[in-house]
Amino acid sequence: MMEVMLGNVMVDCGDAEQLQRFYGELLGWEQCQLYGCRAVRSSGGIVFLFAQEEDYVPPVWPEEDGRQQKQMHFDFQVESVPEAVRRAESLGAVKAKAQFGSEEEFITMLDPAGHPFCLCKA
C-alpha cells in the first residue's frame, strides 16, 4: 500500500501576514514563503500555509445555525496552560467566550482571524 503523509496545512484568512506572524511567534516556528503563500515551518518540517481570501468570513465559536462554522481547529500541547494563554493573548489571540473544559486541562482561544484553537496541558 502506498504511504500517504501529511504535507502542509492550508489556513484560509483575511490577512495572511497577520496570521503568519501570530503563529510564527506563538509556536516559535520559522516564518517563510512557500508555493506563493506566507507560511510558518517547524524544525520538524510541519508547515502551515496562509491563504489570503478577499471574501474571508471568520468562523463563529461555538457554532450557530446560519453562521460560518469552524471546519477544523488546532490542539497545541503546552507545559503550562495559563502561561500559554498569556503568551497567545499578548500576540493577538482572545479567549473564546464558551469554554468546555477545565482551565487546568485546556482553554479554547481564537486566533486573530477568528479560528478556534486549544491550548492543552501536555
Side-chain angles (χ1 to χ4, degrees):
M1 178 187 285
M2 178 178 67
E3 182 179 4
V4 177
M5 297 174 48
L6 176 67
N8 308 305
V9 177
M10 180 68 77
V11 181
D12 291 348
C13 59
D15 185 338
E17 182 178 0
Q18 178 189 44
L19 228 50
Q20 176 193 40
R21 186 173 45 253
F22 173 78
Y23 281 108
E25 291 180 21
L26 179 71
L27 303 172
W29 292 5
E30 171 194 7
Q31 297 181 41
C32 56
Q33 287 251 172
L34 293 170
Y35 312 112
C37 295
R38 291 182 177 274
V40 295
R41 177 174 36 212
S42 76
S43 60
I46 299 169
V47 174
F48 292 173
L49 298 164
F50 304 103
Q52 188 160 320
E53 305 291 341
E54 295 303 317
D55 58 352
Y56 175 75
V57 176
V60 174
W61 174 254
E63 289 92 350
E64 296 176 18
D65 287 341
R67 307 271 315 269
Q68 177 63 50
Q69 296 188 15
K70 72 173 177 52
Q71 295 176 336
M72 59 169 268
H73 73 270
F74 299 116
D75 282 347
F76 298 114
Q77 305 296 308
V78 299
E79 290 180 26
S80 168
V81 172
E83 286 180 31
V85 167
R86 284 190 294 275
R87 174 147 173 74
E89 288 174 329
S90 76
L91 297 170
V94 296
K95 235 186 238 190
K97 291 178 183 168
Q99 296 291 325
F100 298 98
S102 74
E103 292 201 12
E104 295 79 38
E105 293 178 323
F106 69 89
I107 295 288
T108 303
M109 306 290 293
L110 303 175
D111 72 17
H115 298 289
F117 67 93
C118 293
L119 298 170
C120 307
K121 179 76 175 152

